[in-house]
Amino acid sequence: MAIRRGRGVAAINYPTGMNLGGDPTQALVHSTPTGNFMVTLSSVDLGQGMKQIMAQICAETIGVPTDRVIVDTADTDTGPHCMGTFASRGTHRAGNAVIQAAKEARQVMLEVAAEELEVNASDLETDGQGNILVKGAPQKSISIFDVALSAHFKRGRSISGRGMFLIPRSYPEKETGAMKPSTCYAHACTVAEVEVDDETGEVTVLTVKNVFEIGRALNPKMVEQQLVGGSWMGISHALYETTEPYYPSRDHGGTDFNQYLMPGPGDLAETEIIVLERPSADGPFGAKGPGEMCANPQIPAVANAVFDAVGVRIDTLPITPERILRALKAQAAG
């Protein structure tokens, strides 16, 4: 009996969004009388940081600081249409819709500023700090605060925009069934190193090294946090989590979250994250959707590492000590 070490590799590609009905998402953007901007969506922030990213995208497009943007995710009754927050589609679909809406609002803003400065709107630019300048003559400028006041109380204009992103729908070829379910894909590769006790069946994950290709990291720190958390979640799926260990029998099934097995801080492996940026042609500023993909490659990588360590293939999750010992027993008997 011994502690055996193994290494496993797994690589995946993951579609951003889906093909159903063009997978549409809409966005509305409007200015307040004081020059802040409101983004209205029905896309819900599940904790992955969508509000922050939408604020960044809107601010970058209009040319204002991010703290001048407020994101309201409202609900599906009062907000513009969205297919939902799933399929790693939030940043890609909603981000593109926000860009369209913000461009339209920016154009109105520049037109109002042009009237105030008595120039053409095409001669204006933003400085990213809340001001609109005449190109080549930055001393001639007006604050976005004053432009918003003028629009609301003098010019009778609504600084607002509407955006909708819709992908070209792909239909299956009659002869082959081939189709294009997504316009862009994210990619990942994981290398996991484990130790397996062939007497008890216990698995210890020593290191997990992940490489993710996500288009473009719009907020690098948030991307890192999501990818690290996803990597730990993948390990949890691989080795711990189940509500029905003897499905369809209810024997030993957890009855609440106190009995739902998950790894604690001491069970988490040394984790390395490398982000590759290959901007997507149709992504908002090149972004793809890394959301669900970040917890996927660790599962087959751990399974392959267990196989490398003790020579048995476990094809049912989670990979518990019991399943490993049963497989080793069957291997010895065979």
Side-chain angles (χ1 to χ4, degrees), residues 192-195 203-208 235 238-240 266-270 302:
E193 190 168 6
V194 305
E195 286 183 344
V203 178
T204 302
V205 183
L206 302 175
T207 63
V208 179
I235 295 171
L239 297 176
Y240 296 89
D267 301 310
L268 297 174
E270 177 186 339
V302 168

Side-chain angles (χ1 to χ4, degrees), residues 213-295:
E213 187 278 299
I214 62 168
R216 187 176 181 189
L218 302 186
N219 187 311
K221 182 54 66 174
M222 288 177 63
V223 166
E224 179 187 0
Q225 292 169 345
Q226 187 168 18
L227 297 180
V228 171
S231 181
W232 292 348
M233 187 182 295
I235 295 171
S236 187
H237 288 326
L239 297 176
Y240 296 89
E241 295 188 49
T242 180
T243 57
E244 306 289 344
Y246 296 101
Y247 181 83
S249 169
R250 285 290 296 139
D251 293 346
H252 304 291
T255 58
D256 55 37
F257 283 113
N258 290 322
Q259 298 178 357
Y260 187 75
L261 187 62
M262 293 186 292
D267 301 310
L268 297 174
E270 177 186 339
T271 302
E272 182 178 350
I273 302 291
I274 296 174
V275 175
L276 301 180
E277 294 185 295
R278 301 290 186 271
S280 168
D282 69 345
F285 300 104
K288 300 178 183 178
E292 294 162 312
M293 174 192 71
C294 59

Side-chain angles (χ1 to χ4, degrees), residues 95-115:
N96 275 312
V98 167
I99 287 175
Q100 290 182 17
K103 284 181 176 179
E104 191 172 291
R106 173 186 168 88
Q107 182 59 34
V108 177
M109 179 184 72
L110 294 179
E111 290 171 2
V112 173
E115 293 179 20

